[in-house]
Amino acid sequence: MERDKKIFLPESEIPQRWYNILPDLPEPLPPPINPATKEPLKPEELAKIFPMELIKQEASQERWIEIPDELLKVYRMWRPTPLHRAYELEKALKTPARIYYKNESVSPPGSHKPNTAVAQAYFNKKEGIKRLTTETGAGQWGSALAFACNLFGLECTVYMVRVSYEQKPYRKIMMQTWGATVYPSPTNLTNSGRAILQEDPDSPGSLGVAISEAVEDAATHDDANYSLGSVLNHVILHQTIIGLEAEKQLQIAGEKKPDIVIGCVGGGSNFGGITMPFVRRRLQGEDIRFIAVEPSACPSLTKGLYRYDYGDVAGLTPLLMMHTLGHKFIPPRLHAGGLRYHGMAPIVSLLAKKGIVEAVSYNQNPVFEAAILFAKTEGIIPAPETAHAIKAVIDEAIKCRETGEEKCILFNFSGHGHFDLSAYEAYLAGKLVDYEYPEEKILEALKELPVV
Ligand SMILES: *Cc1c(COP(=O)(O)O)cnc(C)c1O
């Protein structure tokens, strides 16, 4: 008899603490830099847009950070998430590898993002904030934050890139259902938005402009703060609940350790979340590999430089030391919208520089081919972002078939693709474009890296 297909944890086994990798990193993380003074950023300088507790977490040297009871109660709405053994995928691949996936698609908004959204809403609420602002591209982060704000009685203002607002109405409706106010960005409500509209009243918008609008809104209203869904240390901290649960579940499945842990990377938060507890064990001497998977059209880890750069296209945010393609780089219109970010979480970047995290990149068509195989074997239709991880898992499992190695492979199933069916439609119609690696554009953008 096969062992269980799904490994559940009882709610009483939800981790009570997040794991903070900062004190365990092989070398200290270079500090964020104030772009005006070129000096390390002072924590107070962030207080206009973030609550003190998150600012503290961002630089904390405490290895374990307590999850407040009120938040644990909210996590129990969908956590612990199941760990699945991908028996059917293994059979289809005829691999001796054992493949497990942590299913973050079971959260109400359908991805891992609410793990940090609810934490951010909670700490803001506790400090008296009434409203959170954010940007969203395709709408995954916006819907996670709308969901979280509703749970804690906060207002939520989402600046949604205009083209997505018009072309992808369902995520917008989801946000509105949870009570958020959603504006197509650029708006005429902010200086940054008005400046763009003056030049081009029909501007389709971009994530960069939407960030500028959300930050400006928060910075100019005392009772509002800004919220970011990836990249920052506190976001990865909150996401470690994924890896901490997976660690317990693998043990229940009779696995001593995973040999390989795989995740897709946009800003690095779902990858960071599943891997950090295992990175800790690698640093203590265990033999575990980590593979971050990105699109070849936006290859920050595989082709970017490890440099200080802005987090946004407009160049308004503090400078972060990270793998970057240059903040001016605008990737092609990939279907994996969540992976179209020019930079990478500083924590993931440092680990990649140290050779602890490996990176691979794939084009869209092989990624969707992997997604379809997964949907046909395991049943769940993956988000295009998640499908990148699946492609790498399949490649590793095929290597095991060739060598006969019985490796244990763990990956993060970061979200389902129910709102991304137009991408599947394009793939099934043979109309999905495999973008050339945009070398020229990247080299251009890298020339504009700020001098520190
Ligand atoms: C947003 C998103 C990602 C990419 O973001 P990270 O911060 O790198 O995790 C990946 N998968 C899904 C389903 C997403 O919604």
Side-chain angles (χ1 to χ4, degrees):
M1 244 275 286
E2 282 181 351
R3 285 168 175 264
D4 283 352
K5 273 195 204 302
K6 298 187 299 306
I7 298 118
F8 292 104
L9 282 180
E11 287 178 17
S12 57
E13 285 286 316
I14 293 185
Q16 313 268 312
R17 304 177 301 176
W18 293 298
Y19 168 57
N20 175 22
I21 187 105
L22 292 184
D24 294 331
L25 285 174
E27 61 189 55
L29 212 57
I33 298 249
N34 178 322
T37 63
K38 304 277 158 83
E39 295 291 325
L41 200 70
K42 298 190 199 76
E44 323 70 276
E45 295 177 278
L46 290 171
K48 258 200 158 103
I49 56 169
F50 291 125
M52 270 334 281
E53 183 58 33
L54 294 181
I55 295 172
K56 255 170 49 195
Q57 289 176 6
E58 188 63 20
S60 172
Q61 286 296 314
E62 274 174 54
R63 183 167 293 122
W64 298 100
I65 295 181
E66 214 70 38
I67 305 176
D69 282 344
E70 222 179 312
L71 200 48
L72 282 172
K73 222 155 73 192
V74 167
Y75 273 153
R76 279 166 54 195
M77 189 183 274
W78 73 96
R79 306 206 69 84
T81 62
L83 180 77
H84 300 237
R85 172 84 185 263
Y87 281 116
E88 302 311 316
L89 179 64
E90 291 170 20
K91 275 182 212 146
L93 297 171
K94 300 190 173 63
T95 177
R98 298 182 304 284
I99 302 173
Y100 295 87
Y101 58 99
K102 183 70 170 148
N103 188 0
E104 292 297 308
S105 80
V106 301
S107 77
S111 78
H112 65 288
K113 288 189 170 82
N115 296 331
T116 185
V118 294
Q120 295 190 39
Y122 169 80
F123 290 117
N124 273 291
K125 170 84 178 182
K126 249 186 95 187
E127 293 183 28
I129 290 297
K130 299 273 187 283
R131 181 169 68 96
L132 288 181
T133 71
T134 199
E135 73 287 339
T136 199
Q140 287 153 320
W141 170 241
S143 50
L145 194 68
F147 163 76
C149 284
N150 173 59
L151 290 176
F152 288 103
L154 292 169
E155 289 173 53
C156 183
T157 307
V158 181
Y159 293 86
M160 184 171 191
V161 177
R162 182 182 292 273
V163 274
S164 306
Y165 184 94
E166 282 161 4
Q167 290 172 4
K168 299 190 172 175
Y170 294 113
R171 283 270 171 200
K172 171 187 75 191
I173 298 164
M174 215 175 175
M175 294 183 243
Q176 290 167 336
T177 301
W178 280 314
T181 304
V182 188
Y183 295 117
S185 161
T187 70
N188 52 26
L189 304 169
T190 65
N191 287 330
S192 345
R194 281 187 293 267
I196 302 285
L197 287 177
Q198 210 155 44
E199 271 181 31
D200 177 9
D202 299 320
S203 166
S206 72
L207 212 49
V209 178
I211 295 178
S212 308
E213 290 206 275
V215 170
E216 183 183 325
D217 181 347
T220 52
H221 294 91
D222 284 344
D223 60 352
N225 267 346
Y226 169 71
S227 195
L228 193 65
S230 187
V231 181
L232 299 180
N233 303 341
H234 69 262
V235 177
I236 291 191
L237 172 78
H238 303 151
Q239 294 292 358
T240 59
I241 194 158
I242 303 172
L244 293 166
E245 284 180 8
E247 217 177 359
K248 294 189 187 192
Q249 288 162 310
L250 280 180
Q251 208 169 16
I252 295 172
E255 302 286 353
K256 283 207 191 67
K257 67 166 180 85
D259 296 297
I260 312 176
V261 187
I262 296 175
C264 63
V265 284
S269 77
N270 88 85
F271 174 80
I274 194 161
T275 54
M276 289 313 140
F278 297 102
V279 168
R280 175 168 192 240
R281 288 166 54 175
R282 156 95 171 245
L283 294 169
Q284 291 168 347
E286 286 186 63
D287 181 14
I288 308 175
R289 288 174 59 205
F290 304 95
I291 305 177
V293 192
E294 54 188 18
S296 1
C298 190
S300 32
L301 278 175
T302 47
K303 303 277 189 184
L305 299 178
Y306 185 60
R307 290 284 186 77
Y308 270 109
D309 197 7
Y310 297 102
D312 66 323
V313 186
L316 297 172
T317 70
L319 300 169
L320 299 175
M321 187 66 161
M322 60 184 175
H323 284 83
T324 178
L325 298 167
H327 62 284
K328 298 266 172 170
F329 175 67
I330 313 240
R333 300 188 54 81
L334 278 172
H335 282 289
L339 307 185
R340 290 177 77 245
Y341 186 60
H342 68 273
M344 184 52 58
I347 289 177
V348 174
S349 292
L350 180 74
L351 291 168
K353 186 190 77 141
K354 289 305 218 178
I356 293 165
V357 163
E358 305 163 37
V360 291
S361 67
Y362 294 106
N363 238 318
Q364 297 198 106
N365 276 296
V367 161
F368 274 86
E369 193 185 329
I372 299 271
L373 176 61
F374 190 88
K376 286 185 164 176
T377 50
E378 294 297 316
I380 315 175
I381 300 176
E385 292 84 358
T386 312
H388 284 73
I390 296 172
K391 170 64 180 155
V393 168
I394 291 175
D395 281 3
E396 288 300 323
I398 290 174
K399 278 186 213 158
C400 289
R401 178 174 75 206
E402 287 158 1
T403 61
E405 285 172 292
E406 297 177 11
K407 286 189 180 160
C408 172
I409 302 174
L410 168 68
F411 78 96
N412 197 28
F413 193 89
S414 56
H416 65 63
H418 299 177
F419 294 89
D420 305 286
L421 292 177
S422 62
Y424 281 84
E425 183 182 30
Y427 174 77
L428 293 171
K431 286 185 183 155
L432 206 62
V433 185
D434 267 343
Y435 294 105
E436 290 293 312
Y437 161 57
E439 186 168 9
E440 294 276 304
K441 272 174 73 183
I442 291 175
L443 290 177
E444 266 317 293
L446 288 174
K447 280 192 208 144
E448 301 211 35
L449 282 179
V451 181
V452 177

